[in-house]
Amino acid sequence: MTAHPVADPVVVTGAGGFIGSHLVEALAAAGHRVRAFVHYNGAGTHGWLDTFSPEQLADVEVVAGDIRDRGMVQRLVDGASVVYHLAALGGIPYSYLAPQSYVDTNITGTLNVLESARSAGTGRVVVTSTSEVYGTATTVPMTEEHRLRGQSPYAATKIGADKLAESYHLSFGLPVVTLRPFNTYGPRQSTRAVIPTIVSQLARGTGAVELGALRTTRDLLYVTDTVAAFRAVGMAPESAVVGRVFQAATGQETAIGELVRRIAAMFGSEPQIRVSEARLRPADSEVERLVGDNRLLRTATGWQPVATLDDGLKATVEWFLDPANLARYRAERAV
């Protein structure tokens, strides 16, 4: 399929985060001028972009601000050809404690991006969704037509953002694409996520791993494949992708208990697995099963996942075991 030519600069919101930093890295390596939007803080830090070399940042303009500030977002978007909107407040447990923060960031922040892109005449906006919008699978593999169910405040705000994106395309003709990755993992991921949680606990050598539900299953997608999906929908011909929702998934599911065993084998250990009440979601909020169908994305763009689960886990473990990387994480569990 012939790629749609992308003029520069391109914008990445949430650029200092896990997936956003990998996307910035890939776009810059491909020769794009990137405007990378990071969350402003008093320390002046730029998230994972602070670990990039000067050469990696040569064609990257780092802009610090707040996705909730409409005027800031408008200045960010003006003149951009493509906006990859990844900025969001993640972490399901924290959404039980601070739901207003999720509404402000995930819904109002997305509204600011859409309205700014509409005003600026942006050529394409790629909005980041999540498989959490589905809740527990009712049919498998899950397609883009699966019903939406907000089983956590986080999921509800992502559903709201998805529907705003849909409305801006249908109401105003804004060229929006919604990408819905399943469970992305890899280097730089927060230890709030299950794989870094397992790896960091095993790396401390305590002989035990504390987790929440063990029978839940997830469709695990290595971060380079997720980034490739973003680039695919950002560059595909307009007729192939605009106004549509696409899943990035492997089509395979792995139970959390099995995941622990596979990662522990890389450490040569057999840890005691403990279920921690503090790590369990409320009963009706737990998403028991997620496994996605990627045929729509493959057909529209030619994208397909490349990394096997074992290869992705091996690369992730190796990255976390680098003392310089592990030192960037707090030993205690964050919400």
Side-chain angles (χ1 to χ4, degrees), residues 161-272:
D162 286 3
K163 288 301 180 181
L164 271 175
E166 178 182 70
S167 76
Y168 265 67
H169 175 69
L170 296 175
S171 300
F172 310 117
L174 188 67
V176 175
V177 185
T178 300
L179 182 65
R180 189 169 287 155
F182 275 63
N183 292 78
T184 301
Y185 71 98
R188 306 178 195 155
Q189 189 172 23
S190 166
T191 50
R192 292 174 304 193
V194 66
I195 290 175
T197 293
I198 296 167
V199 173
S200 60
Q201 290 186 66
L202 289 170
R204 292 200 293 272
T206 61
V209 174
E210 290 191 355
L211 293 169
L214 300 177
R215 294 183 180 178
T216 57
T217 68
R218 295 294 184 263
D219 188 325
L220 299 164
L221 188 67
Y222 191 59
V223 65
T224 54
D225 286 328
T226 301
V227 165
F230 274 104
R231 295 187 63 204
V233 298
M235 298 179 63
E238 181 173 335
S239 59
V241 297
V242 166
R244 303 177 73 185
V245 177
F246 296 97
Q247 296 181 156
T250 68
Q252 301 176 1
E253 59 186 324
T254 304
I256 302 305
E258 170 62 20
L259 192 57
V260 177
R261 288 186 283 273
R262 292 175 82 150
I263 296 173
M266 298 179 181
F267 283 81
S269 65
E270 295 184 11
Q272 180 182 358

Side-chain angles (χ1 to χ4, degrees), residues 88-92 94-95 102 106 154 192 335:
L89 187 56
I92 292 166
Y94 188 56
S95 77
Y102 284 73
N106 298 351
Y154 166 71
R192 292 174 304 193
V335 175

Side-chain angles (χ1 to χ4, degrees), residues 3-21:
H4 174 73
V6 176
D8 290 332
V10 296
V11 165
V12 177
T13 73
F18 163 45
I19 300 175
S21 64

Side-chain angles (χ1 to χ4, degrees), residues 32-308:
H32 292 285
R33 288 188 298 115
V34 183
R35 194 176 294 161
F37 192 55
V38 301
H39 190 234
Y40 173 84
N41 62 80
T45 56
H46 297 155
W48 287 110
L49 297 186
D50 287 344
T51 67
F52 285 23
S53 68
E55 291 75 21
Q56 288 175 296
L57 292 173
D59 291 318
V60 177
E61 176 192 1
V62 181
V63 179
D66 194 315
I67 202 70
R68 297 170 298 179
D69 188 307
R70 170 74 169 80
M72 184 76 212
V73 175
Q74 186 67 64
R75 293 191 294 274
L76 174 78
V77 167
D78 283 346
S81 58
V82 179
V83 176
Y84 295 94
H85 176 44
L86 285 79
L89 187 56
I92 292 166
Y94 188 56
S95 77
Y96 302 131
L97 303 176
Q100 183 67 56
S101 299
Y102 284 73
V103 171
D104 293 345
T105 301
N106 298 351
I107 296 181
T108 303
T110 299
L111 176 63
N112 288 340
V113 169
L114 296 169
E115 190 61 27
S116 297
R118 178 190 175 204
S119 175
T122 304
R124 187 167 302 177
V125 180
V126 179
V127 171
T128 309
S129 182
T130 169
S131 55
E132 285 285 333
V133 300
Y134 296 128
T136 297
T138 57
T139 57
V140 293
M142 305 163 83
T143 71
E144 290 82 354
E145 300 302 316
H146 190 284
R147 64 100 169 93
L148 305 181
R149 190 178 189 211
Q151 286 185 227
S152 65
Y154 166 71
T157 61
K158 294 298 285 184
I159 292 171
D162 286 3
K163 288 301 180 181
L164 271 175
E166 178 182 70
S167 76
Y168 265 67
H169 175 69
L170 296 175
S171 300
F172 310 117
L174 188 67
V176 175
V177 185
T178 300
L179 182 65
R180 189 169 287 155
F182 275 63
N183 292 78
T184 301
Y185 71 98
R188 306 178 195 155
Q189 189 172 23
S190 166
T191 50
R192 292 174 304 193
V194 66
I195 290 175
T197 293
I198 296 167
V199 173
S200 60
Q201 290 186 66
L202 289 170
R204 292 200 293 272
T206 61
V209 174
E210 290 191 355
L211 293 169
L214 300 177
R215 294 183 180 178
T216 57
T217 68
R218 295 294 184 263
D219 188 325
L220 299 164
L221 188 67
Y222 191 59
V223 65
T224 54
D225 286 328
T226 301
V227 165
F230 274 104
R231 295 187 63 204
V233 298
M235 298 179 63
E238 181 173 335
S239 59
V241 297
V242 166
R244 303 177 73 185
V245 177
F246 296 97
Q247 296 181 156
T250 68
Q252 301 176 1
E253 59 186 324
T254 304
I256 302 305
E258 170 62 20
L259 192 57
V260 177
R261 288 186 283 273
R262 292 175 82 150
I263 296 173
M266 298 179 181
F267 283 81
S269 65
E270 295 184 11
Q272 180 182 358
I273 303 173
R274 299 172 182 164
V275 175
S276 168
E277 291 294 327
R279 296 175 183 270
L280 293 172
R281 302 187 195 183
D284 291 337
S285 185
E286 181 60 76
V287 175
E288 300 290 345
R289 190 180 187 192
L290 290 174
V291 55
D293 186 330
N294 63 28
R295 285 177 294 178
L296 199 64
L297 181 59
R298 283 192 289 114
T299 300
T301 70
W303 173 91
Q304 60 182 356
V306 174
T308 66

